[in-house]
Amino acid sequence: MTVDRTADAGTGNSLDLDDAKDPAALAASASAQPGSTRTTDAPALEFRPGRWIANWDAENKEQWDSAGRSIARRNLNWSIFAEFLGFVVWQLWSIVVVQLPAAGFTFSTSEIFWLISMPSLVGATLRIPYTFMVPRFGGRNWTIVSALLLLIPSIGLALCVSNPETPFAVMLLVAALAGFGGGNFASSMANITFFYPAREKGWALGLNAAGGNLGAAVAQLAVPIAITLLAAGTVNLPMAGWMWVPFILLAAFGAWKYMNNLTSAKGDVAGSVAALKEPHLWIMALLYIGTFGSFIGFAGVFPKLIKDYFPEFSSIAVGTVALSLAFLGPLVGSLARPYGGRMADRMGGARMTVAAFAIMAAITLTMIWTLPLKNFWLFLVLFLMLFTASGFGNGATYRMIPVIFATSSRAAKNGASSVATQRLASSALGLISAIGAYGGFVIPQVLNASNTASGSYTPAFYGFVAAYGLMLAVCWFCYIRNANRNAMGHV
């Protein structure tokens, strides 16, 4: 699973899965909500028009066991489906662009990279306001709206690619609208955090995040098959957009029919403003750009890199359909994510993050030096290792944040309570998740600039190696060296 996770109950701000399971985070949650498994009587659930529920208290064991669990699980199931489709739409252009020449389009390499990177730019930006939409409009209501918004980029893509004369500016606008899918992650995770008690929040949010992140891999697997199925040797590129319309309508209907709004869902704008003043937020945002930003950025460009370096392997014929192996990258990166967090719990998030950056730099150098061999399978294996290392780094980086804010933030050093530091950590996680997603824009644009200036991607990859080295040094200096000198223990 990738990166972003979620939130502490009562804030609506994004929090990472491993942070939700982290002992420090749970301890803070317990102090924020005394008696996290309360069995005292609570007001009965009140079901209001518009599928609103009042008096929701997931921490009350009696309420949870009698009705809460089934309601929460039903909302989780439909949230996963809607978020999955959000990631599908967000990553559609990464696989569609490599098929544009076969459909008669003659865009330049620079224009192709803009089509790849624009959804990430818009999606990362939308993550911030999307976090606050659930408290404002209700989780069910916003899920309906955010799902229906996916129809615009899906249908727009289908219409644009059906005509090779479509102007590039129109294509770029439609690609930007795919950013709606990137924003969905923030609102989906914020919504589900309100439904679950602290003791089960990590598992629920893990399922929600995993189901969403797998959408990137499924899009890159399913689109090449769909556009060549029954296409008689050509490509039916509009099908890349049309094929998701029924599923989007189903997600919106399911949210309307089966999901709920909670009157208890509240946002925390003040916590987000306070988190922006913490230097550690910006340090961790830099590190997260290196881990999650690499994951989402390379997921977007991987089909294009395969096409440019090994065009004969860009599409592999399997019977009457074509298959792209690019989907393996986001798949292994997503699956590696939880294991990075688990290992960070044992070894320390800072040490794991340093190790991840070192491995990512070594793999990237090996990939550069072995490109002259022109061996596709070696290239594929090295890139899958790079995706895996970035997944481990995602888990490790986010595991660090609640510990840092509990022990080293300005608020903690000034004697703030655990409740206050938890608010800061929860808000910081939401902001860091948005900043990290900008890596999906930066990596394609760096590759584009390198190719424009030198006719090669190699300088860009050397730049990535240098960036990983810088981030490794920052992490070591801020969170290992200083921790050892001050006997703080590992972060």
Short mmCIF file of all heavy atoms in Angstrom, two decimals, residues 70-102:
data_model
loop_
_atom_site.label_atom_id
_atom_site.label_comp_id
_atom_site.label_asym_id
_atom_site.label_seq_id
_atom_site.Cartn_x
_atom_site.Cartn_y
_atom_site.Cartn_z
N SER A 70 -21.47 -3.46 12.00
CA SER A 70 -22.04 -3.78 10.69
C SER A 70 -22.22 -2.51 9.84
O SER A 70 -22.01 -2.52 8.63
CB SER A 70 -23.38 -4.50 10.85
OG SER A 70 -24.32 -3.69 11.53
N ILE A 71 -22.59 -1.40 10.49
CA ILE A 71 -22.74 -0.15 9.76
C ILE A 71 -21.39 0.32 9.25
O ILE A 71 -21.25 0.74 8.09
CB ILE A 71 -23.37 0.92 10.67
CG1 ILE A 71 -24.81 0.54 11.03
CG2 ILE A 71 -23.32 2.30 10.00
CD1 ILE A 71 -25.45 1.45 12.06
N ALA A 72 -20.37 0.25 10.11
CA ALA A 72 -19.04 0.69 9.71
C ALA A 72 -18.50 -0.15 8.56
O ALA A 72 -17.90 0.38 7.61
CB ALA A 72 -18.09 0.63 10.91
N ARG A 73 -18.69 -1.47 8.64
CA ARG A 73 -18.16 -2.34 7.60
C ARG A 73 -18.86 -2.08 6.26
O ARG A 73 -18.21 -2.09 5.20
CB ARG A 73 -18.32 -3.80 7.99
CG ARG A 73 -17.64 -4.77 7.03
CD ARG A 73 -16.17 -4.41 6.86
NE ARG A 73 -15.54 -5.12 5.78
CZ ARG A 73 -14.70 -6.13 5.95
NH1 ARG A 73 -14.41 -6.55 7.17
NH2 ARG A 73 -14.15 -6.72 4.93
N ARG A 74 -20.15 -1.83 6.30
CA ARG A 74 -20.87 -1.54 5.06
C ARG A 74 -20.33 -0.25 4.42
O ARG A 74 -20.13 -0.19 3.21
CB ARG A 74 -22.36 -1.40 5.35
CG ARG A 74 -23.21 -1.21 4.10
CD ARG A 74 -24.69 -1.13 4.43
NE ARG A 74 -25.03 0.07 5.16
CZ ARG A 74 -25.49 0.11 6.40
NH1 ARG A 74 -25.68 -1.01 7.07
NH2 ARG A 74 -25.78 1.26 6.99
N ASN A 75 -20.10 0.77 5.23
CA ASN A 75 -19.54 2.01 4.71
C ASN A 75 -18.12 1.82 4.20
O ASN A 75 -17.74 2.40 3.18
CB ASN A 75 -19.57 3.09 5.79
CG ASN A 75 -20.94 3.74 5.94
OD1 ASN A 75 -21.23 4.76 5.32
ND2 ASN A 75 -21.79 3.14 6.76
N LEU A 76 -17.35 0.98 4.89
CA LEU A 76 -15.98 0.71 4.45
C LEU A 76 -15.97 0.04 3.08
O LEU A 76 -15.17 0.40 2.20
CB LEU A 76 -15.27 -0.16 5.48
CG LEU A 76 -13.87 -0.66 5.10
CD1 LEU A 76 -12.91 0.52 4.90
CD2 LEU A 76 -13.34 -1.62 6.17
N ASN A 77 -16.84 -0.94 2.88
CA ASN A 77 -16.84 -1.68 1.62
C ASN A 77 -17.09 -0.75 0.43
O ASN A 77 -16.40 -0.83 -0.60
CB ASN A 77 -17.92 -2.77 1.66
CG ASN A 77 -17.55 -3.90 2.59
OD1 ASN A 77 -16.39 -4.10 2.93
ND2 ASN A 77 -18.54 -4.67 3.03
N TRP A 78 -18.06 0.14 0.56
CA TRP A 78 -18.36 1.03 -0.56
C TRP A 78 -17.32 2.14 -0.69
O TRP A 78 -17.04 2.63 -1.79
CB TRP A 78 -19.77 1.61 -0.40
CG TRP A 78 -20.80 0.59 -0.74
CD1 TRP A 78 -21.55 -0.16 0.13
CD2 TRP A 78 -21.15 0.16 -2.05
NE1 TRP A 78 -22.36 -1.02 -0.57
CE2 TRP A 78 -22.15 -0.86 -1.91
CE3 TRP A 78 -20.76 0.51 -3.34
CZ2 TRP A 78 -22.72 -1.50 -3.00
CZ3 TRP A 78 -21.33 -0.13 -4.43
CH2 TRP A 78 -22.30 -1.11 -4.26
N SER A 79 -16.71 2.51 0.43
CA SER A 79 -15.62 3.48 0.37
C SER A 79 -14.43 2.92 -0.40
O SER A 79 -13.81 3.62 -1.21
CB SER A 79 -15.19 3.87 1.78
OG SER A 79 -14.07 4.72 1.76
N ILE A 80 -14.08 1.65 -0.13
CA ILE A 80 -12.98 1.00 -0.84
C ILE A 80 -13.24 0.99 -2.34
O ILE A 80 -12.36 1.31 -3.15
CB ILE A 80 -12.78 -0.43 -0.33
CG1 ILE A 80 -12.22 -0.41 1.09
CG2 ILE A 80 -11.86 -1.22 -1.26
CD1 ILE A 80 -12.15 -1.79 1.74
N PHE A 81 -14.46 0.65 -2.73
CA PHE A 81 -14.79 0.56 -4.15
C PHE A 81 -14.68 1.93 -4.83
O PHE A 81 -14.09 2.06 -5.91
CB PHE A 81 -16.20 0.00 -4.31
CG PHE A 81 -16.60 -0.26 -5.74
CD1 PHE A 81 -15.76 -0.91 -6.61
CD2 PHE A 81 -17.84 0.16 -6.20
CE1 PHE A 81 -16.12 -1.16 -7.92
CE2 PHE A 81 -18.23 -0.08 -7.51
CZ PHE A 81 -17.36 -0.73 -8.38
N ALA A 82 -15.20 2.97 -4.17
CA ALA A 82 -15.14 4.31 -4.75
C ALA A 82 -13.70 4.81 -4.83
O ALA A 82 -13.30 5.42 -5.83
CB ALA A 82 -15.99 5.27 -3.92
N GLU A 83 -12.91 4.54 -3.79
CA GLU A 83 -11.52 5.00 -3.80
C GLU A 83 -10.69 4.23 -4.83
O GLU A 83 -9.81 4.81 -5.48
CB GLU A 83 -10.90 4.82 -2.42
CG GLU A 83 -9.52 5.44 -2.30
CD GLU A 83 -8.82 5.04 -1.03
OE1 GLU A 83 -9.50 4.64 -0.07
OE2 GLU A 83 -7.58 5.10 -1.01
N PHE A 84 -10.98 2.96 -4.98
CA PHE A 84 -10.32 2.15 -6.01
C PHE A 84 -10.52 2.78 -7.39
O PHE A 84 -9.57 2.93 -8.16
CB PHE A 84 -10.89 0.74 -5.97
CG PHE A 84 -10.59 -0.09 -7.19
CD1 PHE A 84 -9.38 -0.77 -7.29
CD2 PHE A 84 -11.51 -0.22 -8.21
CE1 PHE A 84 -9.10 -1.54 -8.41
CE2 PHE A 84 -11.24 -0.99 -9.33
CZ PHE A 84 -10.03 -1.65 -9.42
N LEU A 85 -11.74 3.18 -7.69
CA LEU A 85 -12.02 3.81 -8.99
C LEU A 85 -11.34 5.17 -9.10
O LEU A 85 -10.94 5.59 -10.20
CB LEU A 85 -13.53 3.95 -9.18
CG LEU A 85 -14.28 2.63 -9.35
CD1 LEU A 85 -15.79 2.86 -9.30
CD2 LEU A 85 -13.89 1.94 -10.65
N GLY A 86 -11.18 5.86 -7.96
CA GLY A 86 -10.46 7.11 -7.99
C GLY A 86 -9.02 6.93 -8.45
O GLY A 86 -8.52 7.68 -9.29
N PHE A 87 -8.34 5.91 -7.92
CA PHE A 87 -6.97 5.64 -8.34
C PHE A 87 -6.92 5.17 -9.78
O PHE A 87 -5.97 5.48 -10.50
CB PHE A 87 -6.33 4.60 -7.41
CG PHE A 87 -5.53 5.21 -6.30
CD1 PHE A 87 -6.15 5.63 -5.13
CD2 PHE A 87 -4.16 5.40 -6.42
CE1 PHE A 87 -5.42 6.21 -4.10
CE2 PHE A 87 -3.42 5.97 -5.40
CZ PHE A 87 -4.05 6.37 -4.23
N VAL A 88 -7.92 4.41 -10.22
CA VAL A 88 -7.97 3.98 -11.62
C VAL A 88 -7.96 5.20 -12.53
O VAL A 88 -7.16 5.31 -13.47
CB VAL A 88 -9.22 3.12 -11.87
CG1 VAL A 88 -9.48 2.99 -13.36
CG2 VAL A 88 -9.05 1.72 -11.26
N VAL A 89 -8.88 6.13 -12.27
CA VAL A 89 -9.01 7.31 -13.13
C VAL A 89 -7.75 8.17 -13.03
O VAL A 89 -7.28 8.73 -14.03
CB VAL A 89 -10.26 8.12 -12.73
CG1 VAL A 89 -10.30 9.46 -13.45
CG2 VAL A 89 -11.52 7.31 -13.04
N TRP A 90 -7.18 8.27 -11.83
CA TRP A 90 -5.98 9.08 -11.63
C TRP A 90 -4.82 8.59 -12.49
O TRP A 90 -4.02 9.37 -12.98
CB TRP A 90 -5.60 9.04 -10.15
CG TRP A 90 -4.70 10.14 -9.70
CD1 TRP A 90 -4.55 11.37 -10.28
CD2 TRP A 90 -3.85 10.14 -8.55
NE1 TRP A 90 -3.65 12.13 -9.56
CE2 TRP A 90 -3.20 11.40 -8.50
CE3 TRP A 90 -3.57 9.21 -7.56
CZ2 TRP A 90 -2.30 11.74 -7.50
CZ3 TRP A 90 -2.69 9.55 -6.56
CH2 TRP A 90 -2.05 10.80 -6.54
N GLN A 91 -4.73 7.27 -12.68
CA GLN A 91 -3.60 6.70 -13.41
C GLN A 91 -3.92 6.33 -14.85
O GLN A 91 -3.08 5.77 -15.56
CB GLN A 91 -3.10 5.46 -12.67
CG GLN A 91 -2.42 5.76 -11.36
CD GLN A 91 -1.17 6.61 -11.53
OE1 GLN A 91 -0.26 6.26 -12.28
NE2 GLN A 91 -1.13 7.75 -10.86
N LEU A 92 -5.12 6.66 -15.34
CA LEU A 92 -5.50 6.27 -16.70
C LEU A 92 -4.55 6.81 -17.76
O LEU A 92 -4.16 6.10 -18.70
CB LEU A 92 -6.92 6.75 -17.00
CG LEU A 92 -8.08 5.83 -16.64
CD1 LEU A 92 -9.39 6.44 -17.09
CD2 LEU A 92 -7.89 4.45 -17.27
N TRP A 93 -4.17 8.07 -17.61
CA TRP A 93 -3.36 8.67 -18.67
C TRP A 93 -1.96 8.07 -18.74
O TRP A 93 -1.32 8.11 -19.80
CB TRP A 93 -3.29 10.18 -18.47
CG TRP A 93 -4.56 10.85 -18.90
CD1 TRP A 93 -5.66 11.10 -18.14
CD2 TRP A 93 -4.88 11.31 -20.21
NE1 TRP A 93 -6.64 11.69 -18.88
CE2 TRP A 93 -6.19 11.84 -20.16
CE3 TRP A 93 -4.18 11.35 -21.41
CZ2 TRP A 93 -6.81 12.39 -21.28
CZ3 TRP A 93 -4.80 11.89 -22.53
CH2 TRP A 93 -6.10 12.40 -22.46
N SER A 94 -1.48 7.49 -17.66
CA SER A 94 -0.14 6.90 -17.68
C SER A 94 -0.05 5.75 -18.66
O SER A 94 1.01 5.51 -19.26
CB SER A 94 0.25 6.42 -16.28
OG SER A 94 -0.53 5.30 -15.87
N ILE A 95 -1.15 5.03 -18.85
CA ILE A 95 -1.14 3.89 -19.77
C ILE A 95 -1.73 4.27 -21.12
O ILE A 95 -1.37 3.68 -22.16
CB ILE A 95 -1.90 2.68 -19.16
CG1 ILE A 95 -1.65 1.42 -19.97
CG2 ILE A 95 -3.38 2.97 -19.01
CD1 ILE A 95 -0.23 0.93 -19.94
N VAL A 96 -2.61 5.28 -21.16
CA VAL A 96 -3.22 5.69 -22.43
C VAL A 96 -2.21 6.38 -23.33
O VAL A 96 -2.21 6.18 -24.56
CB VAL A 96 -4.43 6.61 -22.16
CG1 VAL A 96 -4.88 7.32 -23.43
CG2 VAL A 96 -5.60 5.79 -21.60
N VAL A 97 -1.30 7.19 -22.76
CA VAL A 97 -0.41 7.99 -23.60
C VAL A 97 0.49 7.13 -24.49
O VAL A 97 0.83 7.55 -25.61
CB VAL A 97 0.47 8.93 -22.74
CG1 VAL A 97 -0.38 9.99 -22.06
CG2 VAL A 97 1.31 8.16 -21.74
N VAL A 98 0.86 5.95 -24.03
CA VAL A 98 1.74 5.12 -24.85
C VAL A 98 0.99 4.53 -26.04
O VAL A 98 1.61 4.01 -26.98
CB VAL A 98 2.39 4.00 -24.01
CG1 VAL A 98 3.23 4.58 -22.90
CG2 VAL A 98 1.35 3.04 -23.45
N GLN A 99 -0.33 4.60 -26.03
CA GLN A 99 -1.15 4.09 -27.12
C GLN A 99 -1.57 5.19 -28.10
O GLN A 99 -2.16 4.88 -29.14
CB GLN A 99 -2.42 3.41 -26.56
CG GLN A 99 -2.16 2.30 -25.56
CD GLN A 99 -1.54 1.08 -26.19
OE1 GLN A 99 -1.59 0.90 -27.42
NE2 GLN A 99 -0.95 0.21 -25.37
N LEU A 100 -1.28 6.44 -27.78
CA LEU A 100 -1.74 7.54 -28.64
C LEU A 100 -1.17 7.47 -30.06
O LEU A 100 -1.92 7.72 -31.02
CB LEU A 100 -1.40 8.88 -27.99
CG LEU A 100 -2.19 9.24 -26.73
CD1 LEU A 100 -1.70 10.57 -26.16
CD2 LEU A 100 -3.68 9.32 -27.03
N PRO A 101 0.11 7.14 -30.26
CA PRO A 101 0.59 7.05 -31.65
C PRO A 101 -0.17 6.03 -32.49
O PRO A 101 -0.45 6.27 -33.67
CB PRO A 101 2.06 6.66 -31.48
CG PRO A 101 2.44 7.18 -30.15
CD PRO A 101 1.21 6.99 -29.30
N ALA A 102 -0.53 4.90 -31.88
CA ALA A 102 -1.28 3.88 -32.62
C ALA A 102 -2.67 4.35 -32.99
O ALA A 102 -3.29 3.83 -33.93
CB ALA A 102 -1.36 2.59 -31.79
#
